[in-house]
């Protein structure tokens, strides 16, 4: 990136990593242009750890958070300084509002729950002010420590006996193991034939280093912080607990950052170099207490499970931001739905994990996600190419190429209805909001679900919730009831 110093107008090449996933300035967004001269005059007002830089390609200033190595076009305020996620609060919703809204990068209308646990968000002037719900009404939210900074770890040589790309068996000296210096995994020579310069810290990177063919694609696109480095740690059969927690935490931070600042087209998605089905399967493995060493009952075990579900909810949520057939199919795997329903079916599960599971179910019942999951590979290729204005690139995700279309497995609508009805009266406000909002998704996905919702008392509960003291819950309940009335009025229900 070429940067201009506002004090002397000199240009310099900026190579310091400023993001966990991407080194360039953030994706363009509508904002007034900022002159280079403002860089030095306002830098003192920035919070600690922030730096202002000027991008001469867009004639705008952008801001670097050196605490998290992320960039943004929006000027930060001191009260908005980055704070680590010490509390197991629900992930920020894409559009925190008490009324139906269309998110900036969403391709269809959605009704999103708010991202806070205050019973009256007052986000809409049409809602009257209501007293806040006493904090003692709900169960306590567990806290989890923030793990150490993530660093790429080389997989020990004896971990795998075969190449992690082509599955060819290692047989030294003819077929040696090679480490990719970007993702850290083990590959044969055919799958890691080239060496490249990486603008990373350390004496190792003062010369060209070996990278695998998938990471080489990332490097060619200017991404030196590929998601594959997290996947390497998450997919290990017996990962180090600290490394695993750090990888999960950093992955969910990157996924959340991607949802806030998505690439211009799906072709530029950082998910394209991943086998998404295998990634989600690896994340699901991390949600099992028996996967955590040395003790399944240790505090770190609970933190690993929590961060795994944060990754899962953030990844599934990207279906509404970067819709692709491969992500939709990976999200709708029966193992994912079974795991989420299993969490929602436990009466004494961790409340923070239950909230994240209810958020997952909201996205899993999105009709657009199901439609995207039905797209065949040829149609997906054409759709992806149509978004490429340069006409010079092809779809990068080689893992999904040339696969025949698969009929999706039956979706357990009745189990989903029963799960959300159990939680629309939850004492945890964020869980209640996601659950109530999910009902309208389910009714849209399958009109016949109104029968189950009526039989198990869901309609009666929704009717009572339109008098809720929480504006968000009230709005979602009203919207779901409108969907139910629309189905009944259309002649599909008596």
């Amino acid at each position: 990136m070429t940067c201009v110093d506002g004090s002397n107008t000199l240009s310099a090449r900026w190579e310091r990593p400023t993001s966990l996933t991407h080194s360039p300035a953030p994706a363009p967004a509508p904002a007034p242009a900022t002159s280079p001269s403002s860089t030095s005059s306002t830098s003192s007002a920035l919070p600690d750890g922030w730096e202002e830089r000027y991008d001469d390609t867009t004639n705008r200033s952008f801001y670097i958070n050196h605490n998290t190595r992320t960039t943004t076009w929006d000027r930060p305020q001191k009260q908005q300084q980055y704070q680590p996620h010490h509390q197991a609060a629900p992930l920020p919703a894409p559009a925190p509002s008490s009324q139906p809204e269309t998110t900036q990068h969403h391709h269809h209308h959605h009704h999103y729950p708010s991202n806070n646990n205050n019973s009256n968000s007052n986000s809409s002037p049409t809602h009257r002010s209501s007293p806040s719900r006493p904090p003692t009404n709900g169960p306590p939210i567990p806290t989890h420590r923030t793990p150490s900074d993530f660093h790429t770890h080389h997989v020990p040589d004896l971990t795998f006996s075969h190449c992690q790309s082509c599955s060819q068996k290692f047989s030294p000296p003819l077929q040696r193991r090679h480490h990719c210096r970007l993702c850290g995994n083990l590959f044969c020579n055919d799958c890691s034939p080239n060496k490249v310069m990486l603008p990373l810290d350390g004496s190792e990177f003062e010369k060209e280093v070996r990278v695998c063919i998938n990471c080489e694609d990332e490097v060619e696109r200017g991404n030196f912080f590929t998601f594959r480095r997290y996947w390497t740690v998450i997919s290990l059969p017996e990962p180090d607990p600290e490394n695993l927690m750090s990888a999960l935490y950093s992955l969910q931070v990157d996924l959340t950052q991607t949802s806030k600042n998505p690439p211009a087209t799906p072709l530029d998605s950082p998910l394209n170099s991943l086998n998404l089905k295998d990634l989600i399967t690896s994340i699901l493995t991390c949600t099992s207490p028996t996967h955590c060493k040395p003790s399944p009952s240790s505090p770190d075990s609970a933190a690993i499970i929590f961060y795994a579900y944060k990754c899962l909810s953030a990844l599934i949520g990207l279906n509404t931001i970067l819709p692709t057939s491969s992500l939709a199919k990976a999200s709708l795997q029966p193992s994912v739905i079974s795991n989420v329903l299993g969490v929602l079916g436990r009466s004494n599960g961790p409340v923070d994990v239950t909230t994240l599971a209810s958020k997952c179910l909201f996205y899993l019942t999105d009709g657009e996600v199901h439609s995207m999951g039905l797209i065949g590979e040829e149609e997906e290729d054409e759709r992806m190419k149509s978004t490429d204005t340069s006409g010079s690139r092809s779809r990068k995700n080689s893992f999904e190429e040339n696969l025949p279309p698969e009929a999706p497995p039956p979706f357990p609508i009745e189990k989903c209805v029963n799960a959300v009805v159990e939680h629309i009266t939850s004492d945890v406000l964020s869980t209640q909001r996601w659950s109530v909002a999910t009902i309208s998704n389910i009714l849209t996905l399958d009109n016949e679900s109104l029968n189950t919702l009526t039989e198990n008392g869901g309609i009666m509960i929704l009717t009572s919730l339109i008098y809720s003291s929480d504006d968000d819950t009230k709005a979602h309940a009203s919207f779901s009831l409108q969907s139910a009335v629309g189905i009944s009025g259309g002649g599909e229900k008596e």
Side-chain angles (χ1 to χ4, degrees):
M1 175 190 305
T2 301
C3 300
V4 178
D5 189 337
S7 60
N8 54 25
T9 68
L10 294 177
S11 298
R13 181 69 180 174
W14 178 253
E15 292 187 343
R16 178 172 180 171
T18 59
S19 171
L20 291 173
T21 54
H22 293 284
S23 56
T34 306
S35 63
S37 60
S38 65
T39 302
S40 58
S41 62
T42 59
S43 59
S44 59
L46 294 174
D48 293 339
W50 285 84
E51 178 184 359
E52 183 175 1
R53 287 274 171 173
Y54 184 73
D55 179 24
D56 59 355
T57 61
T58 60
N59 296 323
R60 293 178 55 193
S61 292
F62 65 96
Y63 303 90
I64 304 168
N65 185 344
H66 291 296
N67 299 311
T68 59
R69 299 194 295 276
T70 55
T71 57
T72 179
W73 292 116
D74 300 325
R75 183 176 184 83
Q77 303 298 325
K78 285 194 174 183
Q79 65 269 23
Q80 295 173 342
Q81 186 174 357
Y82 172 81
Q83 296 292 335
H85 294 275
H86 291 291
Q87 280 203 341
L91 287 169
S97 170
S98 58
Q99 295 224 354
E101 271 192 42
T102 304
T103 59
Q104 180 179 359
H105 303 282
H106 201 341
H107 57 287
H108 64 289
H109 291 274
H110 242 313
H111 199 60
Y112 286 110
S114 176
N115 65 322
N116 58 64
N117 282 298
N118 297 325
S119 64
N120 180 33
S121 61
N122 288 329
S123 56
S124 171
T126 61
H127 289 149
R128 63 180 178 85
S129 176
S130 303
S132 298
R133 175 179 295 186
T136 55
N137 278 13
I141 304 294
T143 58
H144 304 290
R145 70 177 179 88
T146 301
S148 57
D149 291 340
F150 179 83
H151 300 284
T152 299
H153 296 274
H154 289 179
V155 175
D157 286 352
L158 298 182
T159 303
F160 299 116
S161 61
H162 56 279
C163 172
Q164 294 303 288
S165 180
C166 69
S167 300
Q168 184 170 355
K169 185 177 178 61
F170 296 125
S171 55
L174 298 178
Q175 194 58 265
R176 295 178 53 204
R177 295 173 171 84
H178 297 284
H179 282 101
C180 172
R181 269 26 183 207
L182 202 53
C183 70
N185 220 334
L186 291 169
F187 300 95
C188 66
N189 185 70
D190 291 340
C191 295
S192 57
N194 298 322
K195 295 183 178 182
V196 299
M197 290 296 298
L198 297 177
L200 304 178
D201 296 332
S203 57
E204 177 185 14
F205 301 106
E206 294 177 356
K207 59 181 180 180
E208 292 185 339
V209 292
R210 186 184 295 269
V211 293
C212 66
I213 53 178
N214 290 294
C215 286
E216 187 177 2
D217 286 340
E218 296 290 300
V219 171
E220 290 177 356
R221 293 160 54 194
N223 180 17
F224 306 107
F225 302 93
T226 171
F227 285 12
R228 293 180 60 82
R229 60 201 182 115
Y230 307 135
W231 183 22
T232 296
V233 177
I234 294 171
S235 62
L236 289 175
E238 294 186 4
D240 175 80
E242 183 65 29
N243 294 344
L244 177 60
M245 191 191 310
S246 178
L248 289 168
Y249 176 84
S250 299
L251 176 59
Q252 61 88 17
V253 169
D254 274 9
L255 290 170
T256 302
Q257 184 69 17
T258 300
S259 69
K260 294 178 179 179
N261 298 291
T265 71
L267 280 170
D268 298 314
S269 170
L271 303 178
N272 284 343
S273 67
L274 302 173
N275 184 326
L276 295 174
K277 287 186 177 181
D278 285 355
L279 174 61
I280 288 182
T281 298
S282 298
I283 293 174
L284 289 179
T285 302
C286 297
T287 65
S288 171
T290 59
H291 183 67
C292 304
K293 309 286 184 180
S295 171
S297 60
S298 69
D300 282 357
S301 174
I304 288 172
I305 294 173
F306 168 68
Y307 289 128
Y309 276 107
K310 290 199 80 171
C311 285
L312 186 64
S313 62
L315 189 57
I316 294 174
L318 279 177
N319 277 288
T320 62
I321 307 296
L322 293 171
T324 64
S325 174
S326 56
L327 179 57
K329 290 175 181 177
S331 302
L332 294 173
Q333 294 179 88
S335 58
V336 177
I337 301 168
S338 175
N339 186 291
V340 169
L341 291 177
V343 172
L344 295 176
R346 292 197 293 266
S347 58
N348 58 347
V351 294
D352 52 352
V353 171
T354 301
T355 295
L356 293 171
S358 64
K359 180 179 180 179
C360 288
L361 191 60
F362 172 80
Y363 291 114
L364 290 172
T365 54
D366 187 328
E368 293 291 331
V369 176
H370 285 256
S371 297
M372 190 63 64
L374 295 174
I375 294 179
E377 291 307 312
E378 291 184 3
E379 183 180 352
E380 172 75 346
D381 281 335
E382 291 300 319
R383 191 185 69 86
M384 296 280 278
K385 290 176 182 177
S386 67
T387 65
D388 179 19
T389 56
S390 69
S392 60
R393 292 172 293 176
S394 59
R395 191 161 61 93
K396 291 290 185 181
N397 194 337
S398 58
F399 296 100
E400 304 291 340
E401 290 179 358
N402 301 321
L403 295 179
E406 298 179 3
F411 192 76
I413 285 289
E414 184 173 346
K415 291 182 179 180
C416 292
V417 173
N418 292 331
V420 295
V421 169
E422 287 293 323
H423 292 281
I424 57 178
T425 56
S426 172
D427 287 332
V428 182
L429 196 53
S430 52
T431 301
Q432 182 186 52
R433 288 170 174 170
W434 284 113
S435 299
V436 176
T438 301
I439 292 179
S440 61
N441 275 0
I442 293 176
L443 289 172
T444 303
L445 188 64
D446 185 354
N447 292 346
E448 294 298 321
S449 61
L450 182 58
N451 281 332
T452 304
L453 194 62
T454 303
E455 292 169 359
N456 62 15
I459 293 296
M460 294 183 62
I461 299 175
L462 282 177
T463 304
S464 67
L465 289 178
I466 64 176
Y467 302 103
S468 170
S469 60
D470 175 59
D471 288 344
D472 252 13
T473 301
K474 183 192 307 181
H476 297 313
S478 299
F479 191 77
S480 295
L481 284 173
Q482 290 174 15
S483 299
V485 170
I487 294 172
S488 298
E492 298 180 28
K493 296 288 175 189
E494 294 295 331

